[in-house]
Amino acid sequence: MPDLIEGAVKVLRDGGLVAIPTETVYGLAADADNPLAVNLIFSTKGRPAGHPLIVHVASPKEATDEAWQYILSHWSRDVSPAALSLAKAFWPGPLTIIFPKAKNVISEVTGGQETVGIRCPNHPLAQALLNQFGGGLAAPSANRFGRISPTSAQHVREEFSDAIMVLDGGSCEVGIESTIVDLSRWDTHGPVILRPGAISQQMLNDALSKAGVIVPKLADEAADHSAPRVSGSLSAHYAPKTKMFLYEKEQLEDLLKSHTQPASKIAWVHFNDESLTLKKLDSYALTEIVLPDSAQLLAQQLYALLRQLDQSNYDAIAFEHLPKGEAWDAIRDRLGRAAIGSGII
Ligand code: TXA
Ligand code: MG
């Protein structure tokens, strides 16, 4: 493994790309201080210019305020007490913090905005690489723009040709992208969650209030025209090529009728108690996929499942709506965008 890391460091120093495992999804990494290398990420992904990238940083040996301050001040001109308490509570981990950027951060990374997203990933291979590399790594999810994020090395290989070096760190433990919290507009908006993830609003609020930071109310984002651009916030994203719709139990029959022809091949993805409905649906070629009851497990398996369904030549994917509650919010967000991105609406 040390040889592999050394090889990856060399590729990065030479301005190349390396796909890296993180606990959320695999990232497509480049030296965050090298404009040409960062541009290569955009051309490889087919990502439109102007979408900012997250910079990944190494974890300090001892996670003190001073250590985080030292690391973060390279990237941000204002490392607030709120940011330090979130860093200490959740890093390394599935949280990205948006900061006001420091002067030296290149515009290829920030998409020309005055802010920069930073994350310290919790995966031993990513940390080993970051430590040995010694700088920040700009890394979006390692998929083609708009498509499903990869949660295994094999998924990355399916997205890109063999030309990209992939560090194989197994399957991602969390399985969906990091929570993004914007602290750059604190004075006017307080903390704003730009993308839900495994770190919930409740967890963020608890950490801030435990640290004695007063949390102002969240801004009403819908009415907020100063909001930064986030490609994960485009309504069509994370999309399978097979059309996919979400249904409430009682709607399944009607939705199947309106979205598909009789005898269509349908992937019927649902939670555990649907056996009675099946009888009414025998004019379709249904394949049942039963989902785990835990949000954590489903997040872990979600993208691999969508990829597998996408490769199985179904005419449509019928996906049961998720249970209510904060634990399911991040998956609900991804599924909603995946359904829109699949062209169903
Ligand atoms: O879990 C993750 O966050 C993964 C792993 C690889 O770390 N990365 C990831 O990157 O999901 P990406 O590029 O696929 O999504 C990052 C999102 C994008 O929607 C981008 O617009 C947003 O973060 N973002 C990055 N920098 C930002 C900034 N300065 N202001 C607002 N949004 C930002
Ligand atoms: Mg992405």
Side-chain angles (χ1 to χ4, degrees):
M1 203 48 88
D3 284 357
L4 258 185
I5 298 284
E6 247 167 57
V9 166
K10 182 163 186 325
V11 171
L12 293 166
R13 294 226 168 101
D14 290 346
L17 305 183
V18 177
I20 59 167
T22 83
E23 78 281 32
T24 58
V25 301
Y26 275 69
L28 188 61
D31 179 354
D33 288 308
N34 179 340
L36 289 179
V38 173
N39 278 334
L40 199 53
I41 294 179
F42 283 85
S43 53
T44 305
K45 265 187 73 106
R47 182 170 170 132
H51 283 281
L53 300 175
I54 295 170
V55 176
H56 296 70
V57 297
S59 187
K61 286 211 171 61
E62 265 187 74
T64 58
D65 277 355
E66 292 70 29
W68 277 122
Q69 183 81 46
Y70 178 78
I71 292 171
L72 292 171
S73 57
H74 178 75
W75 303 101
S76 170
R77 61 175 183 271
D78 177 21
V79 182
S80 62
L84 289 176
S85 31
L86 293 184
K88 281 197 298 187
F90 300 114
W91 281 351
L95 178 70
T96 296
I97 302 178
I98 308 293
F99 290 93
K101 78 176 193 75
K103 259 208 189 88
N104 54 286
V105 183
I106 60 178
S107 63
E108 285 78 1
V109 163
T110 64
Q113 302 181 86
E114 274 306 299
T115 56
V116 62
I118 307 288
R119 180 162 108 78
C120 178
N122 188 16
H123 190 290
L125 271 188
Q127 281 299 329
L129 180 67
L130 283 160
N131 267 307
Q132 198 147 330
F133 179 65
L137 291 177
S141 51
N143 51 280
R144 291 183 185 276
F145 182 67
R147 292 289 167 205
I148 302 165
S149 297
T151 52
S152 73
Q154 180 54 31
H155 294 166
V156 181
R157 293 188 200 105
E158 286 163 16
E159 289 288 313
F160 306 109
S161 69
D162 288 343
I164 304 267
M165 177 178 189
V166 185
L167 284 184
D168 190 343
S171 292
C172 301
E173 214 178 309
V174 175
I176 55 173
E177 304 81 353
S178 60
T179 304
I180 304 181
V181 62
D182 184 0
L183 300 186
S184 73
R185 299 175 292 154
W186 183 276
D187 291 347
T188 48
H189 293 74
V192 178
I193 294 175
L194 300 180
R195 180 173 70 184
I199 308 288
S200 66
Q201 181 177 355
Q202 182 71 49
M203 290 160 78
L204 292 169
N205 286 351
D206 285 353
L208 289 170
S209 57
K210 234 186 252 155
V213 179
I214 296 161
V215 186
K217 283 222 167 60
L218 290 185
D220 175 359
E221 285 176 71
D224 181 7
H225 299 296
S226 69
R229 291 186 299 275
V230 188
S231 60
S233 72
L234 298 174
S235 53
H237 216 79
Y238 314 105
K241 293 177 185 131
T242 313
K243 64 182 168 178
M244 175 169 109
F245 61 87
L246 309 178
Y247 72 91
E248 300 286 0
K249 271 192 196 33
E250 63 280 5
Q251 302 170 321
L252 179 58
E253 228 182 323
D254 288 346
L255 286 173
L256 277 174
K257 268 195 201 128
S258 62
H259 289 307
T260 64
Q261 306 293 326
S264 291
K265 235 182 113 192
I266 310 287
W268 180 28
V269 188
H270 63 83
F271 293 93
N272 215 352
D273 59 347
E274 297 253 3
S275 44
L276 288 178
T277 333
L278 185 59
K279 290 196 202 92
K280 290 195 270 173
L281 300 170
D282 48 14
S283 62
Y284 295 96
L286 291 175
T287 304
E288 264 190 278
I289 293 106
V290 177
L291 297 167
D293 285 334
S294 123
Q296 211 182 339
L297 277 182
L298 180 54
Q300 215 171 58
Q301 299 167 13
L302 181 70
Y303 289 152
L305 172 64
L306 291 181
R307 269 172 193 273
Q308 183 216 321
L309 295 178
D310 219 9
Q311 288 163 1
S312 307
N313 289 320
Y314 290 107
D315 297 307
I317 303 167
F319 207 113
E320 187 180 2
H321 269 291
L322 301 173
K324 300 209 163 36
E326 194 184 53
W328 300 89
D329 282 354
I331 310 177
R332 190 175 296 113
D333 168 77
R334 305 308 192 275
L335 274 181
R337 294 175 206 284
I340 294 174
S342 78
I344 201 82
I345 296 168

